[in-house]
C-alpha cells in the first residue's frame, strides 16, 4: 500500500488512519526509522523488555483475564501443604 504524505514545516509526517489501523498502531506508539537504499522505512516498535515480551502476547493476556475472572468469582484451588498434594489435585 503506497500513500503520499507531505512533510510539515516542523518536519512531521501524518500517518493516515487506515495505515495506522492496518499496523495496529496508535497515538503515542513508537516507530523505528531505517534508511535503506535511499528509502525511509518505518517499523512499529513496542518498548518492552525482550525478556518480558511473552507477558504482553495476546494469548498470555487472555489467560491473565481468565485468571482475574476466576479470582473475582472465588474459583481458587485449595491451599496445599506440599507439592505432592498440589500435583495430586491437578491430576484429579
Amino acid at each position: 500500500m503506497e500513500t503520499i504524505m507531505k512533510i510539515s514545516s516542523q518536519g512531521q509526517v501524518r500517518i493516515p488512519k487506515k495505515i495506522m489501523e492496518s499496523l495496529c498502531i496508535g497515538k503515542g506508539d513508537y516507530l523505528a526509522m531505517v534508511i535503506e537504499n535511499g528509502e525511509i522505512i518505518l517499523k512499529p516498535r513496542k518498548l518492552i523488555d525482550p525478556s518480558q515480551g511473552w507477558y504482553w502476547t495476546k494469548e498470555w493476556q487472555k489467560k491473565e483475564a481468565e485468571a482475574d475472572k476466576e479470582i473475582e468469582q472465588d474459583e481458587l484451588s485449595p491451599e496445599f501443604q506440599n507439592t505432592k498434594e498440589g500435583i495430586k489435585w491437578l491430576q484429579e
Side-chain angles (χ1 to χ4, degrees), residues 80 83-92:
F80 306 109
T83 54
K84 286 184 182 180
E85 284 183 12
I87 291 170
K88 182 180 176 185
W89 182 81
L90 287 171
Q91 292 173 337
E92 294 175 350

